[in-house]
Amino acid sequence: MDFQVVILAGGFSSNLAPLVSKEVPKALLPVANRPVLSYVLDLLESSNLKDLIVVVEGEDAALTVGGWISSACVDRLHVEVAAVAENVGTAGALKAIAHHLTAKDILIVSGDIVSDISPGAVAATHTRHDAAVTAMLCAEPVSGPAESGGAGGKDKIKKPACYDIIGLDSSKQFLLYIATGVEVKRDTRLKKSILCAAGKMEIRSDLVDSHIYAFKRSVLQEVLEQKPTFRCLKQDVLPYLVRTQLRSDVFSDEKAVEENGSGHGKNNMQNNDGVSSQILSNAFLPSFHKVYESGLDIRKTHKCCVYIADESKYCVRLNSIQAFMDVNRDVSCFLINVIGDANHLSGYSFSAHHNIVHPSAELGSKTTVGPHCMLGEGSQVGDKCNVKRSVIGRHCRIGSNVKVVNSVVMDHATIGDGCSIQGSVICSNAQLQERVALRDCQVEAGYVVFAGGEHKGETFARK
Amino acid sequence: MGAQKKGGARVSDDSEEQSRQRLQAILLADSFTTKFRPVTLERPKVLLPLVNVPMIDYTLAWLESAGIEEVFVFCCAHSTQIIDYLETSEWRTHPNLVVRTIESHKSISAGDALRYIYEQQTETSQIQGDFVLVSGDTVSNMPLADLIQEHRERKKRDEKAIMTMVIKKSKPSLITHQSRLGTDQLFIAVDPLTKQLLHYEEDKVDHARGSVCLDKSLMESNPSVLLYNDMQDCYIDICSPEVLSLFEDNFDYQHLRRHFVKGVLVDDIMGYKIFTHEIGSSYAARVDNFRSYDTVSKDIIQRWTYPYVPDINFGGNRPVKLGRQGIYRACDVVQSRSAVVGASTVVGYGTKIGNGDRILNSVIGNGCSIGSNVVIEGSYIWNNVTIEDGCEIRNAIVCDGVRIRAGAVLEPGVVLSFKVVVGRDFVVPAYSKVSLLQQPMKEDSDEELEYADSSSGTADRLSGLSLEMESKGSELGPDGAGYIWEVCEGAHDEEWKHSVAPIPEDKLAEITQAMDDYDDMEDESVVPTSGELKSDADSINTDVNDPCDDYGYFEKEVEGTFLRAVEEGIKVELGVLEINSLRLSYNMESADCAGAIFYSMMKLAVDTPHSSASELYKTASSIIAKWKGLLGFYVKQTDEQIEVIMKFEEMCQETAKELGPLFAQILHVLYEKDVVQEDAIMRWAEEKAGADEADKVYLQQCETFIQWLKEASEEEDEDDDEEED
């Protein structure tokens, strides 16, 4: 497969403040005590995609991310880190690194995805259909098993405003319509010409675009060149390609270029490609694109395909604090099933209590660590503590009589005696003094929360 | 026997109602359209022969075999003919099917018919439960029992499920956007699990223009929606009694789909639901227009409608023998040895076929006599037609008793109504409709009727008319008889769409071309540009527009119209007409028109590529010079001229800043071209004099010009004075 992989790892996302900081860009936020980027890298490695470009917004972030990558996986993967200016948008980022792109097809993966869907499958679908773009869709995330996912589930129901509306053809292979987030508030308007060509369209609002795309390089670059105003792949480029699929500007140009470039032989090959793609896709009948082209012979079309992940697959983007909490909880839940190798890779032992406690962690007497919890290497928990559905990082010190529920405690955090932490995130090196009660709070890295405070829904950060 | 059963049935049914419901159907023996005119002026549509059998027989035979026990035939136009026919047919004494007739002369739509039935219902309560609603022109062989059962069970679970609608897959042509039955393409949205109908849109405005608009609430409440473009509505509905009362409640429901289905879908207070049922292998189609007449006839000959095919007796028809290549021939046909009868042809009883005839893909009725060397292709010749030697008939419908004299030619798409005579060697032009009756002069509000007053004896009038005709001579050659109907204005383009003749190649090419042009015009911007498109797209969701938005739309439409005028070189007068119509439809003042037109002109100037301000000035002034006639039409009053200036100012400040520096120059051009008068400029200047500093930028720019104007007018006054002296 002639694929180049681009990972859009973002920078210091403001959505995730105060979790991200100078030392920890978004890509390195811990999910079950590993940087989120590592999940993506593992995923790609498992599909044997080892030639990667990681695009990071901002020089500082790029340095940090680069540093981590070289320490973590330089031996396994061939990774290049490219820095782009901040706030250029995904499309802008791709434009900026255009000169790095040489392969026929480009696989673009968002760096904050935690998933077990094989990107290889997306790439395969893409090649099989000879598509201009292939997007991966997955069912709306179900957060964890019923008993732990209750809270998360309710939240999802509360915010129906952000879903995608996606139109598929009857074979569920082609993308006919896409409207994302913002447009959803309006009535859905579907172009009749596409609908007529396809005959039947299934419109789904229970699928989400999961930010893994395969693009034909020529098409992508053509679009980025033609439309300098496009900022976002999801909101601009993809809808544009879908909209124009039956009267393609990009594809015709590309064909002409190729014909000029290498004459007849290439052309033949392309015909063969068409035929073989039809055979490969198991299509009885030629796709509606072909029919449309032959009916109106002047038309050029390009295909927009989808790969719909199985419902049992997991795919969540880490793009909000809520998502961060959910992902942490889910991943620690799913760890044994989903990222099966992870526990022996990272040396955790999986106990009978359905939790993962590192052998070097120390637990005081009468301390319980509930199911679906993680306790990192070298952490110490005092007496009579209660840890439920939480992830605790490495070398944390937790005093006695501490209650940690539904929370994430990052590395090297210190929690004093008698604290109660619910639904909160404590970043690395943060310190909670005695008897602090936190509920739905975020504590910035290195911040000190003074003793005895009772806080609800607050963000602690140095201004 | 019928009467006896009637009495008995009612008593027993009242008591047994709970345990078992009779399967009942309402058959509308009136299409409430004029698509089959002029033929339907003399005979109701349901009695027109379809492959030599009246349409209603197909419907009744199907209902009978599908297990329906009682049919109410609703007759309106030509009701006596229908009742007479049913009286004499074998349906009167059919053992399994009771056919009752309901007669009404006042109904002009399906809605009226159902309301009438409902009113009757309160007196007689004949309809006891769910019923099948079909029209008398339906040809089908689908089983109904299961579907009715399904409907009943759903109804039991969900009180609100009042109707099940039958749909069938049929992909409309990509080019004409018309199904093979000649109906407009249909967009329906269905819930994939429950099959509930969520959206129904018949595409009257045609072509792939614009978009389908699904309500946002639809997407919010359904995780998945199937939107079909390749379905055809069979107009077979399983209805619960609520449907009748809904029609009663909503007295403005006329059309079953356009009003009733839309109404139910939109209304969320009552929350009634309509479900769909897709049929796969069985056949169902409705003869809606001449094209579907052609299509359904062919389907019958090709035996898709089995067992309702010409060689099987299903409803009083005399079966004909099926030979090779789908040639059905009655046993007593007299056929010359030299005549060729080609594939897929039906020839009825007592018909004579002369020497050297060629008959292909056609249906010939009973008792016809066809002379020598006649060519008949793809045509429908009804009963007792006389065709003399050497005629050529292609893709035409020829009704009973027509006489086509030697050497006459019928071009594709011709319809000859009853007893028309085509003169010797006369060529009937394509798509013409010929009748002995004159075309009704002005179609009034009753146009939905097949034939308004059916009670009077049509036969008498007919004979009188034809006599009259012959004495007068006719439009069909010296020895012919009949009027060629003029195509009414609106339908002029549509003629080819619904005719029996296949769509000609050049027409297809034309549409394809039009589509391309449209696409090019559309560009990638989602904002529609052309005038009619906008109104089409918006009629769906913006019935209640707030006025300020209105002006925006109006301006856009005017701009679209203007650009079109520029591109296509439309004359100024025509442009004025178009803009006037827009003005009326948006209820705008002519000052608004002036503003909008001027805006369009300047926008065009700005949008035209230019490298320098002077170039822009040149384009602008040339556009003004060219279109001042159009603008001039709306700037007769000073107020309107001021509006133009204000608009100009607004543009310079907001949308087209490039024009700012040229303000004075262009104002001068406007003055020179007599678009704005001196008075207007002066008054504008006065009005502006009191404004904020920021608002006075352009006024200051024009100061010298205004000064000059003032001086000029003074001079003029002086001149005048001098002259007066």
Side-chain angles (χ1 to χ4, degrees):
Chain A
M1 268 190 295
D2 186 14
F3 264 100
Q4 234 175 339
V5 181
V6 176
I7 300 173
L8 299 174
F12 303 108
S13 161
S14 57
N15 285 347
L16 287 168
L19 272 54
V20 293
S21 60
K22 276 258 172 320
E23 297 80 48
V24 190
K26 180 177 167 187
L28 298 185
L29 278 180
V31 169
N33 294 337
R34 291 166 57 202
V36 59
L37 190 59
S38 70
Y39 292 89
V40 176
L41 296 179
D42 286 352
L43 195 63
L44 290 167
E45 196 190 358
S46 70
S47 295
N48 211 16
L49 292 162
K50 296 184 174 174
D51 190 8
L52 318 174
I53 302 172
V54 177
V55 183
V56 185
E57 280 186 8
E59 292 287 343
D60 298 345
L63 279 177
T64 326
V65 173
W68 176 80
I69 288 174
S70 56
S71 71
C73 49
V74 75
D75 48 336
R76 306 180 276 145
L77 302 165
H78 177 255
V79 183
E80 226 173 296
V81 179
V84 296
E86 283 179 54
N87 290 324
V88 286
T90 43
L94 283 170
K95 214 185 291 176
I97 58 147
H99 55 279
H100 286 291
L101 303 176
T102 50
K104 180 166 166 271
D105 295 291
I106 313 286
L107 188 69
I108 297 167
V109 184
S110 178
D112 53 3
I113 287 180
V114 179
S115 171
D116 58 337
I117 304 166
S118 156
V122 181
T125 311
H126 183 73
T127 3
R128 192 168 62 197
H129 288 293
D130 191 28
V133 59
T134 304
M136 188 178 84
L137 306 176
C138 57
E140 264 189 289
V142 270
S143 30
E147 77 271 8
S148 68
K154 264 178 218 150
D155 282 341
K156 294 266 150 48
I157 295 161
K158 267 184 219 155
K159 30 177 193 182
C162 48
Y163 52 86
D164 300 337
I165 291 182
I166 286 157
L168 304 170
D169 79 319
S170 51
S171 65
K172 300 192 182 182
Q173 288 176 327
F174 298 109
L175 190 58
L176 304 179
Y177 176 80
I178 184 158
T180 51
V182 202
E183 294 167 59
V184 165
K185 292 197 186 87
R186 280 184 263 143
D187 292 352
T188 309
R189 279 174 184 276
L190 303 148
K191 269 185 82 167
K192 280 182 184 167
S193 55
I194 293 179
L195 183 57
C196 292
K200 183 171 154 186
M201 187 191 288
E202 190 179 350
I203 304 163
R204 304 276 294 262
S205 51
D206 56 349
L207 292 174
V208 282
D209 175 2
S210 59
H211 292 250
I212 299 184
Y213 311 103
F215 278 97
K216 215 172 227 156
R217 177 180 54 84
S218 50
V219 171
L220 179 64
Q221 288 181 338
E222 187 78 39
V223 173
L224 292 178
E225 220 164 89
Q226 278 177 13
K227 308 280 167 195
T229 50
F230 282 3
R231 268 181 57 83
C232 177
L233 282 182
K234 176 178 170 149
Q235 273 160 21
D236 300 323
V237 179
L238 185 62
Y240 170 76
L241 284 173
V242 170
R243 217 162 49 222
T244 57
Q245 58 182 308
L246 291 183
R247 38 186 196 87
S248 161
D249 298 331
V250 279
F251 211 61
S252 54
D253 289 358
E254 181 223 21
K255 264 184 186 162
V257 168
E258 284 194 7
E259 271 163 40
N260 290 343
S262 49
H264 236 56
K266 192 82 178 180
N267 209 6
N268 273 343
M269 224 179 78
Q270 218 162 25
N271 283 341
N272 284 340
D273 277 357
V275 174
S276 62
S277 83
Q278 193 181 324
I279 295 167
L280 281 170
S281 53
N282 263 336
F284 231 154
L285 304 161
S287 78
F288 71 90
H289 293 95
K290 280 267 147 36
V291 176
Y292 194 78
E293 257 182 356
S294 59
L296 307 155
D297 42 22
I298 1 145
R299 301 309 181 86
K300 290 277 188 292
T301 62
H302 59 243
K303 292 181 190 167
C304 300
C305 293
V306 288
Y307 173 80
I308 301 178
D310 195 81
E311 267 184 40
S312 62
K313 297 284 189 180
Y314 184 79
C315 181
V316 174
R317 283 190 71 202
L318 206 165
N319 50 7
S320 67
I321 292 174
Q322 182 62 46
F324 175 76
M325 312 263 299
D326 291 346
V327 168
N328 263 297
R329 193 181 52 232
D330 294 341
V331 169
S332 47
C333 277
F334 281 125
L335 207 50
I336 188 165
N337 310 321
V338 176
I339 311 167
D341 296 336
N343 54 358
H344 68 247
L345 272 181
S346 46
Y348 290 118
S349 64
F350 199 78
S351 81
H353 301 292
H354 287 282
N355 56 26
I356 302 167
V357 177
H358 198 271
S360 63
E362 290 170 27
L363 297 182
S365 65
K366 290 193 183 165
T367 283
T368 53
V369 177
H372 313 302
C373 284
M374 276 189 86
L375 205 51
E377 184 184 338
S379 283
Q380 296 173 0
V381 182
D383 299 335
K384 292 184 188 161
C385 285
N386 194 351
V387 181
K388 278 186 199 158
R389 294 195 291 274
S390 298
V391 177
I392 292 168
R394 299 178 190 87
H395 306 288
C396 291
R397 286 169 189 281
I398 296 176
S400 302
N401 281 319
V402 173
K403 199 170 150 195
V404 182
V405 182
N406 268 333
S407 298
V408 179
V409 180
M410 296 191 202
D411 301 352
H412 305 287
T414 311
I415 296 173
D417 294 345
C419 283
S420 159
I421 300 162
Q422 284 194 9
S424 301
V425 183
I426 316 292
C427 290
S428 49
N429 294 317
Q431 189 187 346
L432 304 189
Q433 296 181 345
E434 290 85 51
R435 296 179 316 283
V436 171
L438 296 183
R439 181 183 267 267
D440 304 325
C441 292
Q442 293 88 39
V443 181
E444 194 198 35
Y447 194 90
V448 179
V449 182
F450 295 110
E454 207 168 292
H455 306 276
K456 204 170 175 185
E458 282 178 56
T459 299
F460 297 93
R462 280 160 298 206
K463 297 274 155 63
Chain B
M1 182 213 159
Q4 225 179 25
K5 182 155 186 183
K6 189 177 174 182
R10 194 171 314 154
V11 174
S12 62
D13 269 3
D14 281 345
S15 56
E16 282 177 25
E17 200 183 6
Q18 296 301 321
S19 56
R20 186 185 158 280
Q21 283 173 335
R22 285 169 75 85
L23 293 181
Q24 292 175 313
I26 294 177
L27 185 152
L28 300 176
D30 192 331
S31 61
F32 305 106
T33 59
T34 56
K35 287 183 184 153
F36 270 83
R37 281 193 178 186
V39 184
T40 47
L41 281 184
E42 293 161 54
R43 192 184 284 182
K45 185 170 146 193
V46 292
L47 295 186
L48 302 184
L50 188 66
V51 196
N52 297 338
V53 179
M55 290 185 200
I56 196 169
D57 280 349
Y58 288 94
T59 316
L60 288 172
W62 157 60
L63 289 174
E64 187 268 321
S65 73
I68 302 292
E69 291 150 283
E70 193 172 18
V71 176
F72 297 92
V73 178
F74 181 88
C75 320
C76 186
H78 304 289
S79 54
T80 41
Q81 280 191 51
I82 299 173
I83 292 170
D84 287 350
Y85 176 80
L86 291 174
E87 286 293 313
T88 53
S89 73
E90 68 168 38
W91 297 114
R92 209 175 76 85
T93 54
H94 201 280
N96 303 329
L97 182 72
V98 183
V99 178
R100 297 184 207 286
T101 50
I102 300 173
E103 199 180 346
S104 154
H105 298 303
K106 281 173 288 181
S107 309
I108 53 158
S109 69
D112 286 342
L114 292 177
R115 274 187 283 278
Y116 185 79
I117 292 171
Y118 181 82
E119 281 159 21
Q120 298 270 299
Q121 170 77 2
T122 50
E123 292 161 25
T124 57
S125 69
Q126 285 168 315
I127 293 165
Q128 287 133 1
D130 301 332
F131 60 92
V132 182
L133 180 62
V134 292
S135 66
D137 46 16
T138 309
V139 178
S140 172
N141 56 10
M142 65 172 289
L144 281 174
D146 290 349
L147 183 57
I148 295 173
Q149 195 56 36
E150 193 187 309
H151 175 78
R152 282 182 180 161
E153 272 165 23
R154 190 184 296 133
K155 183 79 200 307
K156 238 179 250 167
R157 284 195 309 271
D158 184 353
E159 281 270 292
K160 302 287 183 189
I162 52 164
M163 187 162 121
T164 305
M165 178 165 144
V166 175
I167 53 174
K168 183 170 168 60
K169 193 160 182 154
S170 152
K171 195 163 162 55
S173 150
L174 277 181
I175 299 170
T176 58
H177 297 287
Q178 189 186 36
S179 73
R180 59 190 286 275
L181 288 178
T183 47
D184 293 309
Q185 64 179 344
L186 180 69
F187 295 97
I188 56 174
V190 171
D191 184 314
L193 294 175
T194 62
K195 304 288 174 209
Q196 188 191 340
L197 182 74
L198 303 170
H199 182 82
Y200 186 99
E201 184 175 337
E202 221 170 356
D203 195 10
K204 263 274 179 270
V205 209
D206 108 289
H207 294 172
R209 316 208 151 179
S211 47
V212 183
C213 184
L214 295 183
D215 199 66
K216 58 174 183 292
S217 60
L218 200 72
M219 293 315 303
E220 271 163 24
S221 48
N222 298 283
S224 170
V225 173
L226 270 180
L227 187 60
Y228 292 106
N229 170 239
D230 54 355
M231 285 295 167
Q232 159 201 320
D233 187 348
C234 302
Y235 281 84
I236 299 171
D237 303 323
I238 318 294
C239 305
S240 294
E242 285 90 337
V243 172
L244 286 182
S245 53
L246 261 180
F247 268 101
E248 182 65 20
D249 295 344
N250 297 280
F251 54 85
D252 54 340
Y253 284 176
Q254 303 288 346
H255 192 268
L256 279 179
R257 296 293 185 257
R258 248 170 274 153
H259 303 121
F260 174 70
V261 170
K262 275 255 164 88
V264 170
L265 290 179
V266 169
D267 176 30
D268 41 9
I269 299 169
M270 300 297 281
Y272 284 127
K273 294 172 189 164
I274 297 174
F275 288 82
T276 58
H277 175 84
E278 189 187 339
I279 49 171
S281 56
S282 34
Y283 186 86
R286 197 174 156 230
V287 181
D288 176 64
N289 50 46
F290 286 119
R291 180 172 303 287
S292 41
Y293 181 86
D294 176 58
T295 315
V296 174
S297 297
K298 292 205 163 112
D299 290 339
I300 293 171
I301 294 170
Q302 308 281 1
R303 308 179 76 76
W304 292 102
T305 59
Y306 186 87
Y308 313 111
V309 287
D311 57 328
I312 292 177
N313 178 358
F314 55 86
N317 61 327
R318 277 171 83 187
V320 288
K321 258 197 190 149
L322 171 61
R324 284 189 180 187
Q325 292 187 310
I327 300 172
Y328 299 81
R329 202 181 320 212
C331 46
D332 62 350
V333 168
V334 181
Q335 184 185 340
S336 153
R337 266 172 192 280
S338 57
V340 180
V341 175
S344 306
T345 297
V346 178
V347 185
Y349 285 89
T351 289
K352 296 190 193 74
I353 299 173
N355 295 323
D357 289 351
R358 265 168 45 83
I359 301 176
L360 262 176
N361 286 322
S362 298
V363 175
I364 316 279
N366 302 330
C368 295
S369 105
I370 299 169
S372 313
N373 299 318
V374 172
V375 178
I376 302 177
E377 275 177 25
S379 299
Y380 300 89
I381 315 287
W382 295 358
N383 300 329
N384 304 318
V385 173
T386 311
I387 300 170
E388 293 177 5
D389 298 352
C391 291
E392 274 185 42
I393 300 175
R394 290 201 165 80
N395 301 102
I397 292 180
V398 179
C399 296
D400 289 6
V402 168
R403 189 176 188 90
I404 302 173
R405 295 201 196 272
V409 175
L410 305 191
E411 288 185 348
V414 168
V415 175
L416 298 184
S417 185
F418 297 95
K419 293 188 179 142
V420 162
V421 183
V422 180
R424 202 173 289 273
D425 295 324
F426 189 81
V427 179
V428 185
Y431 305 119
S432 38
K433 290 176 177 166
V434 185
S435 171
L436 283 185
L437 299 175
Q438 242 169 338
Q439 189 165 14
M441 280 317 286
K442 200 67 204 165
E443 315 235 335
D444 49 282
S445 56
D446 283 352
E447 65 175 339
E448 297 274 296
L449 271 179
E450 272 182 15
Y451 184 58
D453 54 330
S454 52
S455 46
S456 60
T458 11
D460 297 344
R461 279 180 44 186
L462 256 184
S463 56
L465 261 173
S466 62
L467 280 175
E468 201 183 330
M469 289 291 313
E470 256 152 71
S471 59
K472 264 203 213 158
S474 85
E475 301 170 13
L476 296 176
D479 46 358
Y483 295 101
I484 298 183
W485 279 30
E486 278 180 30
V487 181
C488 37
E489 296 165 32
H492 191 69
D493 272 352
E494 314 275 291
E495 215 43 47
W496 53 270
K497 268 181 137 177
H498 296 144
S499 126
V500 272
I503 301 169
E505 290 287 325
D506 53 333
K507 203 82 208 176
L508 290 180
E510 201 176 293
I511 303 168
T512 320
Q513 188 56 45
M515 245 166 87
D516 279 345
D517 291 351
Y518 169 73
D519 268 2
D520 293 345
M521 216 165 73
E522 188 193 29
D523 199 24
E524 64 270 1
S525 66
V526 203
V527 186
T529 43
S530 110
E532 63 266 358
L533 172 71
K534 192 69 198 175
S535 60
D536 144 43
D538 275 343
S539 58
I540 310 162
N541 63 342
T542 48
D543 282 338
V544 269
N545 254 336
D546 42 341
C548 56
D549 246 346
D550 249 6
Y551 183 73
Y553 284 127
F554 172 71
E555 198 174 83
K556 270 204 191 113
E557 290 227 15
V558 168
E559 195 190 335
T561 313
F562 177 72
L563 288 180
R564 214 149 17 95
V566 173
E567 271 166 31
E568 295 168 18
I570 290 175
K571 280 202 198 112
V572 167
E573 298 87 70
L574 293 177
V576 168
L577 276 183
E578 282 198 37
I579 289 173
N580 266 347
S581 68
L582 283 176
R583 178 170 76 99
L584 290 176
S585 65
Y586 279 85
N587 197 13
M588 290 290 167
E589 306 276 332
S590 88
D592 296 319
C593 291
I597 296 170
F598 183 73
Y599 172 77
S600 320
M601 285 162 70
M602 286 303 111
K603 190 128 186 279
L604 178 67
V606 174
D607 289 346
T608 320
H610 53 265
S611 52
S612 66
S614 63
E615 210 172 308
L616 176 64
Y617 169 69
K618 261 183 217 152
T619 353
S621 44
S622 73
I623 289 173
I624 292 172
K626 190 160 172 221
W627 293 98
K628 64 172 191 220
L630 183 64
L631 189 55
F633 191 84
Y634 296 98
V635 291
K636 292 182 178 140
Q637 309 276 328
T638 313
D639 285 340
E640 291 153 4
Q641 294 168 10
I642 293 176
E643 170 74 24
V644 168
I645 304 175
M646 307 273 257
K647 185 87 206 171
F648 188 26
E649 208 180 6
E650 184 191 314
M651 274 187 86
C652 291
Q653 272 165 350
E654 286 159 20
T655 44
K657 297 209 169 77
E658 286 171 88
L659 283 171
L662 300 172
F663 186 86
Q665 281 169 289
I666 291 177
L667 193 64
H668 196 143
V669 174
L670 288 173
Y671 172 75
E672 278 186 351
K673 300 285 176 201
D674 276 342
V675 175
V676 292
Q677 308 280 331
E678 194 185 314
D679 277 354
I681 299 176
M682 290 308 184
R683 269 182 51 192
W684 169 72
E686 279 166 30
E687 268 178 42
K688 277 283 159 181
D692 295 340
E693 273 312 301
D695 272 355
K696 279 161 78 175
V697 182
Y698 298 104
L699 185 61
Q700 283 157 4
Q701 214 187 96
C702 306
E703 216 150 298
T704 48
F705 175 54
I706 291 169
Q707 200 58 43
W708 175 79
L709 274 179
K710 273 185 191 157
E711 280 165 16
S713 66
E714 276 161 21
E715 268 171 40
E716 234 167 67
D717 288 345
E718 282 166 23
D719 288 352
D720 288 350
D721 294 345
E722 280 165 26
E723 272 165 35
E724 271 168 33
D725 294 341

